[in-house]
């Protein structure tokens, strides 16, 4: 199999077309890997540039591994390099950046940083802790052609052993999710150097051929531990800046003013957009993972934050057509538009997100962004076309649930609540994801769903009712707010005086799509959570042997039929 894949990963048709190999998302072709173009819409050339960008980040990590903070600071550009590393990882998350020129510029920037670091550390007598003679420290590329040629030797298939490859990539994908959450934290002024230093050590470890299966399994679990740390950091950043999420009804209809639709995860961007649109007559609507912005007290104060428009990310081709106004992507979840889409020319990006021809908005030296171009465009557009009406309820992060703790505990003790189901994670296009809508709808009426991430769009508009005033769907927020779900589980463990979180009446039936879901999964494993069901398919990057490790040690399993799975979870 490996040799067949290697043969596919070569130049074809006289070098005009380039093959690729990518299996980092749930929709990867045939469940094994995209080799011609990404199911996500990225071209082979883009995929290969992203591989080279990760390799470039690894080269910087080799130089910085184990370097103390004072030395880093004394050499200058420490924060710039931290940002480069995390942003490089974030850029390569599924559906984040499709812009070849932008990615190539990042590679060039990284190589320049590598040479600066190398020179300054050499002056101080600081040599790499590992891999001092590695190709990553010496390769050079200057043209797009050279970058494409080099990329064929540094991608996923550069590791021949499938089990080593599987564990290395599992670590890398966890790091990508970790980097995304860390960047959001930094944008709000919250930093943790230990997280950055771990990312560097982990990146170097994925190049270290002396590490065997046992060491890499340990690295995967350690990645999960730091995943908990980074989600805790982001939770502190979001709540420290905007207050604790609270029970909120969110409008899903429209108003008569023109609007701007903001998508993605970065709350620092939405607060800047809200500030700049005050008094302009332009309303702000959230989309997909930005929905939980409505739950934060400090963001709810803006009366022109009027509602959530549409559903999960994958429906954007249709929903962007009817929105009429401009759209801002703050993170990943871009779907390449159809040719001739009416919203072409109206989409903007920022942070790690990018798409050819779309305007990318950069921050100034003070960390501020100028959204005036989007605002002026919005003023010339019609109001959004209404596609649904009513409200949805959310805001059940840890503090809001803790406020309901007495009610929840009493409901469990009396048997009014028999079981909690954690149905966090991602949504996606596959028809098989209808499973999650049917699963939620068929759950017994004495069960409660705990959710976070865009997976909730499969069931958050169903009329599932409540149990003694407790809604049967408790939405904690974005995918990173799975941290809240972990805190809730740990709090219940304490309240019921249990020795093990797995003794709680909680089942885990999680949908996944991309790498932020990977770090959430690894974080749950590091907290000792077992018997997680993962779907709609198991990751293609897990080799059979690695799957066995996860099954034997953590009880990881796939999904079956809705009826059979409910019986299994309910112990029938």
């Amino acid at each position: 199999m490996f040799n067949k894949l290697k043969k596919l990963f070569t130049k074809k048709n006289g070098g005009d077309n380039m093959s690729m190999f990518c299996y980092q998302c749930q929709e990867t072709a045939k469940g094994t890997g995209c080799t011609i173009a990404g199911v996500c819409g990225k071209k082979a050339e883009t995929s290969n540039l992203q591989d080279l960008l990760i390799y470039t980040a690894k080269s910087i990590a080799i130089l910085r591994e184990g370097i103390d903070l004072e030395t880093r600071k004394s050499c200058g550009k420490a924060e710039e390099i931290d940002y480069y590393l995390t942003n490089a990882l974030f850029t390569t998350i599924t559906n984040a950046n499709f812009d070849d020129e932008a990615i190539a510029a990042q590679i060039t920037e990284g190589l320049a940083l590598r040479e600066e670091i190398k020179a300054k550390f050499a002056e101080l007598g600081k040599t790499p802790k590992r891999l001092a003679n590695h190709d990553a420290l010496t390769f050079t590329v200057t043209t797009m052609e050279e970058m494409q040629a080099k990329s064929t030797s540094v991608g996923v298939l550069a590791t021949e052993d499938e089990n080593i490859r599987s564990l290395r990539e599992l670590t890398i994908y966890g790091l990508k999710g970790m980097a995304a959450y860390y960047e959001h934290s930094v944008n709000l002024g919250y930093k943790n150097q230990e997280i950055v230093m771990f990312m560097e050590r982990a990146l170097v470890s994925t190049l270290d051929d002396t590490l065997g299966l046992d060491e890499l399994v340990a690295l995967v679990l350690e990645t999960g531990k730091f995943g908990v740390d980074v989600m805790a950091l982001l939770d502190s950043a979001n709540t420290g800046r905007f207050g604790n999420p609270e029970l909120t009804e969110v409008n899903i209809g429209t108003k008569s003013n023109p609007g701007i639709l903001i998508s993605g995860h970065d709350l620092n961007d939405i607060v800047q957009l809200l500030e700049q649109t005050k008094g302009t007559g332009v309303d702000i609507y959230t989309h997909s993972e930005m929905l939980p912005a409505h739950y934060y007290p400090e963001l709810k104060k803006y009366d022109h934050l009027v509602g959530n428009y549409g559903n999960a990310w994958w429906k954007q081709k249709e929903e962007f057509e009817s929105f009429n106004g401009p759209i801002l992507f703050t993170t990943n979840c871009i779907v390449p538009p159809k040719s001739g889409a009416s919203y072409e020319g109206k989409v903007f990006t920022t942070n790690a997100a990018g798409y050819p021809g779309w305007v990318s908005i950069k921050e100034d030296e003070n960390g501020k962004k100028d959204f005036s171009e989007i605002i002026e465009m919005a003023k010339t557009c019609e109001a959004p076309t209404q596609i649904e009406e009513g409200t949805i309820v959310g805001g059940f992060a840890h503090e809001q649930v803790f406020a309901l703790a007495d009610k929840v505990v009493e409901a469990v003790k009396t048997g009014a609540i028999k079981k909690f189901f954690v149905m966090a994670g991602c949504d996606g296009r596959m028809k098989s994801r209808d499973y999650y809508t049917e699963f939620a709808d068929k759950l017994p009426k004495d069960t409660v769903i705990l959710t976070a991430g865009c997976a909730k769009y499969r069931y958050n508009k169903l009329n599932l009712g409540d149990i003694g005033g407790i809604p049967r769907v408790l939405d904690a927020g974005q995918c990173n707010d799975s941290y809240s779900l972990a805190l809730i589980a740990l709090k219940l463990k304490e309240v019921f005086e249990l020795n093990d979180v797995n003794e709680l009446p909680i089942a885990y039936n999680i949908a996944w799509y991309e790498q932020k879901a990977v770090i959430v999964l690894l974080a749950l494993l590091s907290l000792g959570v077992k018997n997680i069901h993962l779907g709609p398919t198991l990751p293609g990057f897990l080799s059979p042997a690695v799957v066995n490790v996860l099954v034997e040690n953590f009880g990881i399993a796939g999904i079956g039929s809705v009826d059979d799975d409910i019986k299994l979870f309910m112990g029938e």
Side-chain angles (χ1 to χ4, degrees):
M1 179 65 175
F2 176 76
N3 289 332
K4 288 181 181 178
L5 291 173
K6 287 291 281 186
K7 286 178 181 178
L8 282 170
F9 193 66
T10 55
K11 287 185 178 181
K12 299 186 292 186
N13 302 329
D16 292 334
N17 296 312
M18 182 77 76
S19 293
M20 61 179 281
F21 185 79
C22 179
Y23 60 0
Q24 68 176 359
C25 85
Q26 186 271 321
E27 289 182 346
T28 193
K30 299 179 181 178
T32 56
C34 295
T35 58
I36 300 172
V39 172
C40 65
K42 69 182 175 185
K43 298 177 181 177
E45 292 84 356
T46 309
S47 177
N48 295 338
L49 285 172
Q50 290 182 355
D51 287 343
L52 188 59
L53 178 58
I54 292 297
Y55 192 64
T56 304
K58 290 178 181 180
S59 73
I60 292 173
I62 291 172
L63 293 169
R64 293 182 102 205
E65 184 187 18
I67 299 295
D68 63 90
L69 297 179
E70 288 305 314
T71 301
R72 291 170 186 241
K73 290 177 182 178
S74 67
C75 290
K77 291 190 175 181
E79 291 190 357
E80 178 183 336
I81 297 165
D82 287 352
Y83 181 81
Y84 179 85
L85 287 171
T86 55
N87 191 254
L89 286 161
F90 196 175
T91 295
T92 65
I93 276 183
T94 302
N95 287 344
N97 201 308
F98 298 79
D99 190 338
D100 290 0
E101 295 295 334
I103 298 168
Q106 276 185 284
I107 293 168
T108 300
E109 178 190 359
L111 294 179
L113 285 173
R114 182 193 70 182
E115 294 308 303
E116 285 187 52
I117 298 167
K118 195 187 300 182
K120 288 178 178 177
F121 283 176
E123 290 176 9
L124 298 172
K126 300 288 186 179
T127 57
K129 187 174 181 179
R130 289 184 284 175
L131 312 182
N133 299 313
H134 199 281
D135 166 75
L137 295 178
T138 57
F139 84 94
T140 58
V141 289
T142 55
T143 66
M144 186 70 81
E145 291 73 19
E146 289 173 346
M147 290 181 187
Q148 289 290 346
K150 180 63 178 177
S151 70
T152 63
S153 65
V154 301
V156 174
L157 298 178
T159 303
E160 295 193 16
D161 183 285
E162 71 168 349
N163 297 321
I164 296 292
R165 180 167 68 243
S166 180
L167 291 168
R168 285 178 172 180
E169 294 307 308
L170 178 54
T171 300
I172 289 292
Y173 303 153
L175 292 177
K176 290 184 180 188
M178 188 186 302
Y181 295 153
Y182 188 73
E183 184 169 307
H184 298 322
S185 302
V186 170
N187 289 344
L188 291 171
Y190 285 66
K191 302 173 184 179
N192 182 329
Q193 282 297 310
E194 289 185 5
I195 292 172
V196 176
M197 295 174 80
F198 168 75
M199 286 194 279
E200 291 169 348
R201 175 161 57 84
L203 283 169
V204 179
S205 295
T206 64
L207 291 175
D208 189 345
D209 291 332
T210 69
L211 301 182
L213 295 176
D214 290 344
E215 291 92 343
L216 290 173
V217 167
L219 180 65
V220 165
L221 296 178
E222 191 177 9
T223 303
K225 182 266 179 191
F226 278 93
V228 175
D229 292 346
V230 78
M231 285 192 285
L233 181 69
L234 181 52
D235 181 77
S236 295
N238 288 340
T239 59
R241 178 74 179 277
F242 305 114
N244 283 299
E246 56 192 26
L247 194 158
T248 306
E249 284 192 18
V250 181
N251 172 47
I252 57 175
T254 59
K255 304 284 187 178
S256 58
N257 288 336
I260 295 171
L261 189 62
I262 181 168
S263 191
H265 303 72
D266 200 291
L267 298 186
N268 186 51
D269 289 322
I270 191 171
V271 72
Q272 291 193 58
L273 181 63
L274 287 166
E275 275 294 315
Q276 292 177 40
T277 47
K278 281 194 303 188
T280 63
V282 174
D283 287 338
I284 304 301
Y285 293 81
T286 57
H287 170 257
S288 193
E289 279 275 50
M290 194 58 81
L291 162 64
H294 294 273
Y295 309 158
Y296 289 90
E298 291 302 312
L299 296 178
K300 290 167 69 173
K301 291 179 179 178
Y302 295 91
D303 57 11
H304 62 298
L305 177 62
V306 297
N308 187 74
Y309 193 86
N311 297 278
W313 61 274
W314 60 275
K315 290 190 175 182
Q316 65 189 250
K317 285 184 179 180
E318 296 78 23
E319 294 172 349
F320 286 4
E321 290 282 347
S322 58
F323 183 74
N324 301 326
I327 299 109
L328 172 63
F329 274 102
T330 66
T331 63
N332 57 316
C333 299
I334 294 170
V335 177
K338 296 176 183 177
S339 176
S342 68
Y343 58 89
E344 271 288 12
K346 292 182 179 179
V347 190
F348 298 77
T349 64
T350 190
N351 302 317
Y355 193 83
W358 292 359
V359 175
S360 177
I361 296 175
K362 311 295 184 185
E363 66 179 23
D364 63 20
E365 63 275 8
N366 299 312
K368 303 299 181 183
K369 296 179 183 180
D370 181 359
F371 293 122
S372 59
E373 184 177 353
I374 307 177
I375 297 166
E376 292 307 310
M377 179 182 289
K379 292 177 181 178
T380 69
C381 297
E382 296 180 9
T385 301
Q386 183 157 298
I387 56 176
E388 53 190 342
E389 60 183 0
T391 60
I392 48 179
V393 178
F396 294 97
H398 49 87
E399 294 306 310
Q400 179 64 78
V401 175
F402 292 167
L404 297 172
D406 291 344
K407 261 189 168 184
V408 172
V409 170
E410 183 63 21
V412 173
K413 287 181 176 178
T414 62
I417 295 177
K418 287 286 196 309
K419 199 149 198 168
F420 297 92
F421 283 83
V422 174
M423 293 180 65
C426 316
D427 198 13
R429 291 168 284 216
M430 280 188 169
K431 180 67 176 173
S432 56
R433 287 180 180 266
D434 289 346
Y435 163 96
Y436 293 102
T437 304
E438 184 183 352
F439 187 91
D441 195 39
K442 285 187 173 181
L443 277 175
K445 304 305 180 187
D446 53 6
T447 61
V448 171
I449 294 170
L450 304 173
T451 192
C454 64
K456 61 175 162 275
Y457 284 101
R458 287 285 168 174
Y459 42 80
N460 68 342
K461 295 171 185 177
L462 299 176
N463 184 19
L464 297 181
D466 64 86
I467 299 173
I470 301 168
R472 289 194 55 232
V473 177
L474 301 180
D475 174 25
Q478 297 179 339
C479 52
N480 47 280
D481 291 310
S482 296
Y483 174 71
S484 271
L485 304 184
L487 288 184
I488 291 166
L490 293 172
K491 182 67 173 179
L492 289 173
K493 169 178 166 281
E494 175 188 327
V495 169
F496 289 110
E497 298 181 344
L498 301 174
N499 295 318
D500 189 333
V501 71
N502 296 294
E503 296 175 23
L504 287 165
I506 299 179
Y508 295 82
N509 195 8
I510 295 175
W512 81 284
Y513 183 78
E514 41 87 339
Q515 298 76 60
K516 292 197 290 297
V518 173
I519 193 59
V520 170
L521 173 65
L522 297 183
L524 289 174
L525 297 184
S526 78
L527 290 171
V529 175
K530 295 186 177 181
N531 301 317
I532 298 172
H533 286 239
L534 198 61
T537 58
L538 291 179
F541 52 80
L542 297 180
S543 69
V546 172
V547 169
N548 286 338
V549 169
L550 294 175
V551 170
E552 291 172 6
N553 291 280
F554 300 100
I556 294 288
I559 60 173
S561 72
V562 168
D563 291 336
D564 287 346
D565 284 351
I566 289 177
K567 288 178 181 177
L568 176 66
F569 284 126
M570 297 303 295
E572 298 176 7

